[in-house]
């Protein structure tokens, strides 16, 4: 079968956010193409931002994604605050980290148990899986609900939060309002540690690769809302130098731009990268959970990303409890500022990896140019590289088996296709 010339297509990828497809071409026993084809229509958010007041950027960009709106809120705030010289007081910074914890919890748990786990247990979807593993699914939903509760309280609602603004929040919660979160967070933390033990017993393919990992790194905390841009190859840059390191370009088979380093290299963003570059910043229970799951200091098998996400859920729950317990409301919900002309840069760690925003603003406070790079855009190239390395030695497998394992390999990255399909420049070539 390896000598055959075949084409394997998955016309619609299931259990991913957005519209995408997979195309494999095999010619005389050699894999000649492995393409993650994103065909969701471009959404032109960068163009939409032009001419808008810079204070509107968080609310507009939060609409890019219903799963990770907090990431867009925080990156937009970080960029405009960078431009305007806004220093966020510690109580507000802590609340933002708590809000980010909520998003990590709900997003990671949704992916791990509802979208990815069916692959390992042999089910076509979470509904089918729930018939045999109802307790596990119900437990996962309860953990996810704890994360949603944080986002709803601090953000004003669970989907596309409305309580975040440049410099802070519109309204700060009271300690009494945060207190009811605690019991569910404590339950979720204990339960997630146990569930991670179950996941560690899954049968993972034997597949390791030598990635160039890229993530944020902070002096004292596991990165969520702030940090420098670092890589496993020795890169260490301020966020304002992001464009010097990663450059976007268009490929014919995708409405989402790809990103590469200046020398054409491919990088890997997300949980594996954060874990590899920030393992010394793990919270105590997260570190213990990683050890209990048998994870090494650097995980190079993308199929085991489900375990690293679980470690990050433990960390987010542990951090959330700490922040709830230590919360003391500040004197003001937001730092005062005035818009000014210039360019601002911001990056935070969305569940799927580094999310970069850059805004140019004129003297009246209006946005004249915007650039947003979603982590899925950057990860497209490494996903395709994974497919090439995984499929080539397995070409003797039937098409259906190859198709299934390739879909699983794509879901390792929890791609958020709608986030990535918003490029601005369109070039038409006519021959």
């Amino acid at each position: 079968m390896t000598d055959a010339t075949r084409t394997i297509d998955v016309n619609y990828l299931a259990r991913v956010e957005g519209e995408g497809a997979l195309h494999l071409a095999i010619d005389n026993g050699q894999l000649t193409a492995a393409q993650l084809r994103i065909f969701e229509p471009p959404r032109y958010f960068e163009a939409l931002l032009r001419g808008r007041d810079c204070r509107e950027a968080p609310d507009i960009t939060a609409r890019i994604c219903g799963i990770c709106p907090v990431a867009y809120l925080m990156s937009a705030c970080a960029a405009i605050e960078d431009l305007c010289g806004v220093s966020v007081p510690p109580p507000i910074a802590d609340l933002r980290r708590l809000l980010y914890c909520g998003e990590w919890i709900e997003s990671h748990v949704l992916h791990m148990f509802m979208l990815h786990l069916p692959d390992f247990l042999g089910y076509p979807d979470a509904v089918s899986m729930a018939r045999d593993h109802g307790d596990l699914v119900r437990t996962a939903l309860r953990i996810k609900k704890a994360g949603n509760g944080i986002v709803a309280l601090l953000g004003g609602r669970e989907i596309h939060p409305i309580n975040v603004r440049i410099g802070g929040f519109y309204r700060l919660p009271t300690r009494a309002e945060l207190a009811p979160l605690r019991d569910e967070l404590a339950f979720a933390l204990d339960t997630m540690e146990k569930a991670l033990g179950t996941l560690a017993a899954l049968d993972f393919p034997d597949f390791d690769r030598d990635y160039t990992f890229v993530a944020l790194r902070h002096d004292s905390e596991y990165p969520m809302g702030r940090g420098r841009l670092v890589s496993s190859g020795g890169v260490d840059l301020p966020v304002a130098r992001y464009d010097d390191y990663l450059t976007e370009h268009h490929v014919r088979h995708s409405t989402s731009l790809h990103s590469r380093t200046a020398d054409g290299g491919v990088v890997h963003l997300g949980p594996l990268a954060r874990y590899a570059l920030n393992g010394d910043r793990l919270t105590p229970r997260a570190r213990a959970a990683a050890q209990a799951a048998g994870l090494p200091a650097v995980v190079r098998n993308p199929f085991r990303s489900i375990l690293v996400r679980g470690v990050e859920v433990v960390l987010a729950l542990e951090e959330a409890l700490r922040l709830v317990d230590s919360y003391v409301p500040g004197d003001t919900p937001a730092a005062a500022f005035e818009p000014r002309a210039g360019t601002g840069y911001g990056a935070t760690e969305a569940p799927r990896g580094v999310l970069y925003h850059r805004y140019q603003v004129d003297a009246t406070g209006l946005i004249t140019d915007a650039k947003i790079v979603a982590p899925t855009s950057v990860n497209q190239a490494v996903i395709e590289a994974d497919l090439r390395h995984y499929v080539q030695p397995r070409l003797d497998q039937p098409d259906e088996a190859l198709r299934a394992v390739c879909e699983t390999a794509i879901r390792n990255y929890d791609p958020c296709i709608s986030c990535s399909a918003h490029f601005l420049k369109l070039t038409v070539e006519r021959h």
Side-chain angles (χ1 to χ4, degrees):
M1 200 167 187
T2 55
D3 294 331
T5 298
R6 353 177 225 163
T7 300
I8 300 174
D9 287 308
V10 179
N11 294 322
Y12 297 94
L13 291 170
R15 286 183 272 129
V16 297
E17 194 287 326
E19 302 292 336
L22 168 65
H23 173 78
L24 299 179
I26 302 163
D27 188 7
N28 292 321
Q30 293 296 312
L31 183 68
T32 57
Q35 297 175 344
L36 174 58
R37 293 181 169 179
I38 291 178
F39 52 83
E40 183 159 322
R43 301 165 70 204
Y44 302 111
F45 267 87
E46 288 95 337
L48 179 65
L49 286 160
R50 289 180 178 175
R52 305 302 294 249
D53 190 295
C54 65
R55 287 164 287 204
E56 296 181 85
D59 284 330
I60 292 173
T61 59
R63 271 62 181 176
I64 291 174
C65 184
I67 297 175
C68 51
V70 172
Y72 284 92
L73 287 168
M74 294 297 100
S75 289
C77 285
I80 302 301
E81 288 162 2
D82 170 64
L83 165 62
C84 297
V86 179
S87 179
V88 176
I92 292 176
D94 286 347
L95 270 189
R96 285 182 169 181
R97 186 167 177 83
L98 177 58
L99 180 60
Y100 227 134
C101 285
E103 178 158 281
W104 272 26
I105 295 163
E106 59 88 8
S107 178
H108 275 347
V109 171
L110 170 67
H111 173 71
M112 291 167 61
F113 292 95
M114 307 303 158
L115 306 181
H116 210 192
L117 184 57
D119 289 326
F120 296 101
L121 298 184
Y123 294 94
D125 51 55
V127 174
S128 301
M129 184 179 72
R131 297 191 184 104
D132 298 325
H133 301 277
D135 288 343
L136 181 60
V137 171
R138 281 188 289 270
T139 296
L141 289 172
R142 186 171 171 184
I143 297 171
K144 181 182 182 301
K145 188 176 180 181
N148 284 108
I150 296 173
V151 177
L153 177 60
L154 299 186
R157 62 188 185 191
E158 295 180 21
I159 308 299
H160 304 319
I162 53 175
N163 189 38
V164 176
R165 62 170 167 166
I166 307 300
F169 294 85
Y170 288 100
R171 176 187 178 276
L172 298 180
T174 64
R175 283 184 58 84
E177 288 172 324
L178 283 182
L181 297 175
R182 199 184 192 290
D183 286 347
E184 281 302 301
L185 290 170
F187 167 85
L189 177 54
D190 292 341
T191 306
M192 188 63 228
E193 288 173 328
K194 296 173 185 175
L196 195 53
T198 300
L199 298 178
L202 295 173
D203 185 17
F204 298 103
D206 183 13
F207 180 67
D208 280 26
R209 291 195 57 223
D210 188 15
Y211 298 108
T212 297
F213 289 123
V214 173
L216 297 183
R217 180 168 171 83
H218 188 264
D219 290 341
S220 60
E221 63 189 24
Y222 198 81
M224 287 186 187
R226 53 190 178 178
R228 293 174 62 84
L229 191 71
V230 302
S231 82
S232 55
V235 168
D236 187 348
L237 298 170
V239 170
R241 295 278 307 280
Y242 180 100
D243 292 314
D244 295 337
Y245 180 54
L246 290 172
T247 303
E248 290 187 301
H249 65 280
H250 180 247
V251 295
R252 286 183 176 271
H253 61 267
S254 177
T255 56
S256 174
L257 299 177
H258 280 210
S259 291
R260 291 181 180 269
T261 62
D263 60 359
V266 172
V267 304
H268 181 129
L269 309 182
L272 295 192
R274 285 191 294 262
Y275 177 82
L277 296 171
N278 296 280
D280 58 336
R281 301 288 187 261
L282 289 171
T283 54
R285 290 179 72 165
R287 184 176 297 109
Q291 293 171 349
L295 293 176
V298 178
V299 178
R300 293 187 173 88
N301 183 339
F303 292 93
R304 291 166 70 87
S305 62
I306 190 172
L307 300 181
V308 179
R309 281 189 177 85
V311 170
E312 289 197 333
V313 173
V314 170
L315 179 141
L317 288 163
E318 190 177 2
E319 280 286 87
L321 281 167
R322 177 184 68 82
L323 292 165
V324 167
D325 289 343
S326 64
Y327 176 63
V328 176
D331 296 330
T332 178
F337 79 101
E338 289 294 329
R340 61 192 186 194
T343 302
Y345 307 87
T348 66
E349 282 285 353
R352 293 153 190 83
V354 177
L355 171 60
Y356 172 66
H357 286 220
R358 185 194 72 202
Y359 299 104
Q360 292 179 10
V361 177
D362 66 17
T364 66
L366 298 183
I367 297 170
T368 60
D369 187 62
K371 179 178 181 178
I372 300 170
V373 185
T376 294
S377 294
V378 181
N379 276 338
Q380 279 184 96
V382 76
I383 291 172
E384 292 181 347
D386 276 3
L387 292 171
R388 290 191 295 271
H389 283 84
Y390 193 83
V391 169
Q392 183 60 52
R394 294 170 173 83
L395 292 181
D396 58 339
Q397 294 184 11
D399 287 3
E400 193 59 34
L402 275 181
R403 186 178 293 113
V405 76
C406 285
E407 286 195 68
T408 303
I410 292 170
R411 281 191 285 268
N412 286 334
Y413 290 83
D414 189 16
C416 193
I417 291 170
S418 294
C419 286
S420 66
H422 58 257
F423 72 88
L424 174 60
K425 294 182 181 178
L426 175 65
T427 300
V428 179
E429 296 182 3
R430 302 184 187 276
H431 300 283

